[in-house]
Amino acid sequence: METRKVQVTGGSTYTVSLPKDWATANDVSAGSVVEFHAEDDSLLLSPKRDEERTEGTLDVSGLEGDQLTRAVMTMYVSGFDIIRLETPRVSAEQRRTIRQATQGLVGLETIEETSERVVLQDLLDSSELSVHNAITRMRLVALTMLSDAVDALVENDEDLAYDVRERDDDVDRLWYMISRVFRSVLRDPTAASQIGLPRETCFDYQSSARQLERIADHASKIARLSIEVDDVSAEIADGLCELREEALAVPEAAMNALLEDDAEEATRLATEARSRIRPIDDSARDIDDRIHQLDSQTAQVLGLVVDSLSRTADYGGNIAESALQKAAPRP
């Protein structure tokens, strides 16, 4: 860490010198323009850069299936605006995989295809993206998925089960978008100014979005398991529905706390959400005892459903923790 003494020039202007090593490393010299970004009692300084698209190139030779999909998603989340995927010859299977991966990412489109490369570009301006709207949408979709997944199970509704699983893609798209914006905020203070949120709030939103993504995964899991069970007795169905309502109440209250601007009210809501978790553990044990009296295959499947519902409450508790941190006084 280096220190500099603030000086006064012209009687009213405060000035401070820049470290030479930093200026040299960032091509800052006499006449260069720098940007200041105020965050509470901190002032972040960065060189003013031309608004050029960040390009990244990746050799995808030998990459197929999930490996190739993961590579595309990693480049997207890392913040590259233009992604060049190159190989001596792009196979038809690779093209299909890249196309499917692109469809699962917000704003990403194919702008060039040749026998040796596929070029993707993010067409959305970060200033046009709303992390607040994205996480609000994630909340609605993920929690509705969980509710519908249990309905599909107890009502033996296979069509609803498949619909729940398809909606998981919507949650994943929003999750990757939020992760991309979050990483851009960490890397570039200008990005935080563009989206209009402090970096700490972006962290809280990104952490909570991860919990919602996991809830959606468990909803998809319950929907998949529902296809393996033919009929659920009325007694077990009622117990599962009650457990679902108790579990959903935790992330609902926690998200209300996270999005609440009043610190005192946010703390109250988050504390209420956390207090709901322990009774859910008791309810889960009770219904587990009843499930174990069924045949082994059904008991195993329904036991996994109960576990997913319990985990939903735990994920809601994690969101409540983020809400408490967001509402806490800053040092």
Side-chain angles (χ1 to χ4, degrees):
M1 181 183 71
E2 295 189 39
T3 60
R4 293 287 188 274
K5 181 177 290 187
V6 178
Q7 312 220 0
V8 179
T9 59
S12 60
T13 302
Y14 293 103
T15 62
V16 65
S17 62
L18 299 177
K20 184 176 180 180
D21 290 344
W22 178 88
T24 301
N26 289 277
D27 295 325
V28 174
S29 58
S32 297
V33 177
V34 294
E35 297 178 339
F36 293 97
H37 308 274
E39 286 192 4
D40 297 328
D41 60 350
S42 299
L43 191 63
L44 303 177
L45 170 70
S46 66
K48 183 175 178 59
R49 298 183 175 91
D50 295 333
E51 295 185 4
E52 297 179 353
R53 291 278 183 172
T54 305
E55 299 188 20
T57 302
L58 182 67
D59 183 355
V60 296
S61 301
L63 296 183
E64 294 181 355
D66 290 341
Q67 281 187 317
L68 182 53
T69 298
R70 180 56 56 188
V72 173
M73 291 179 172
T74 299
M75 295 289 282
Y76 172 84
V77 171
S78 295
F80 291 105
D81 299 308
I82 298 176
I83 303 170
R84 300 181 183 275
L85 306 173
E86 299 184 345
T87 183
R89 182 169 182 81
V90 183
S91 68
E93 181 60 30
Q94 284 180 314
R95 291 185 193 280
R96 281 192 292 269
T97 301
I98 293 171
R99 192 175 300 114
Q100 291 173 354
T102 301
Q103 291 171 351
L105 298 169
V106 176
L108 198 63
E109 299 289 344
T110 301
I111 60 170
E112 180 184 342
E113 283 191 68
T114 69
S115 61
E116 299 177 346
R117 64 177 173 271
V118 177
V119 182
L120 311 174
Q121 181 173 336
D122 176 32
L123 300 180
L124 290 181
D125 188 333
S126 60
S127 63
E128 298 174 353
L129 300 177
S130 171
V131 176
H132 183 279
N133 290 346
I135 197 172
T136 300
R137 175 66 179 166
M138 281 188 74
R139 167 193 186 173
L140 175 63
V141 177
L143 300 189
T144 302
M145 281 175 63
L146 190 74
S147 180
D148 288 346
V150 175
D151 284 341
L153 172 68
V154 300
E155 297 172 7
N156 196 22
D157 190 335
E158 192 168 314
D159 289 338
L160 182 58
Y162 281 117
D163 180 67
V164 169
R165 297 178 68 182
E166 288 176 355
R167 276 180 270 166
D168 191 37
D169 293 338
D170 295 334
V171 175
D172 287 342
R173 273 193 289 271
L174 293 167
W175 159 242
Y176 287 124
M177 188 206 82
I178 291 174
S179 297
R180 174 183 169 86
V181 173
F182 174 64
R183 291 181 68 87
S184 70
V185 165
L186 290 181
R187 186 174 57 253
D188 181 7
T190 305
S193 301
Q194 290 176 336
I195 66 173
L197 291 174
R199 288 189 294 174
E200 288 184 359
T201 300
C202 289
F203 172 76
D204 294 328
Y205 280 5
Q206 195 263 357
S207 299
S208 299
R210 179 58 171 164
Q211 307 307 309
L212 292 172
E213 191 267 340
R214 288 172 174 168
I215 290 173
D217 284 345
H218 279 281
S220 183
K221 178 181 178 180
I222 293 173
R224 175 176 54 81
L225 291 171
S226 70
I227 302 174
E228 302 178 20
V229 179
D230 291 330
D231 292 303
V232 178
S233 68
E235 179 188 2
I236 298 298
D238 289 343
L240 290 173
C241 288
E242 290 176 9
L243 182 61
R244 172 191 62 186
E245 297 308 312
E246 293 178 26
L248 283 173
V250 179
E252 281 283 10
M255 284 300 301
N256 286 338
L258 183 72
L259 300 175
E260 175 59 54
D261 292 329
D262 182 78
E264 185 175 342
E265 178 64 9
T267 301
R268 184 190 70 79
L269 290 169
T271 303
E272 176 188 330
R274 294 183 63 195
S275 69
R276 293 174 179 265
I277 297 176
R278 187 176 295 276
I280 292 173
D281 293 336
D282 296 334
S283 298
R285 280 192 293 270
D286 177 65
I287 193 170
D288 256 336
D289 291 339
R290 284 181 277 165
I291 288 173
H292 287 157
Q293 299 174 17
L294 305 175
D295 65 90
S296 58
Q297 182 178 356
T298 303
Q300 182 181 15
V301 172
L302 295 182
L304 292 173
V305 172
V306 171
D307 177 69
S308 288
L309 293 174
S310 297
R311 287 176 182 269
T312 294
D314 292 335
Y315 295 142
N318 293 339
I319 296 173
E321 290 287 350
S322 294
L324 288 171
Q325 293 170 13
K326 178 172 174 284
R330 296 185 180 181

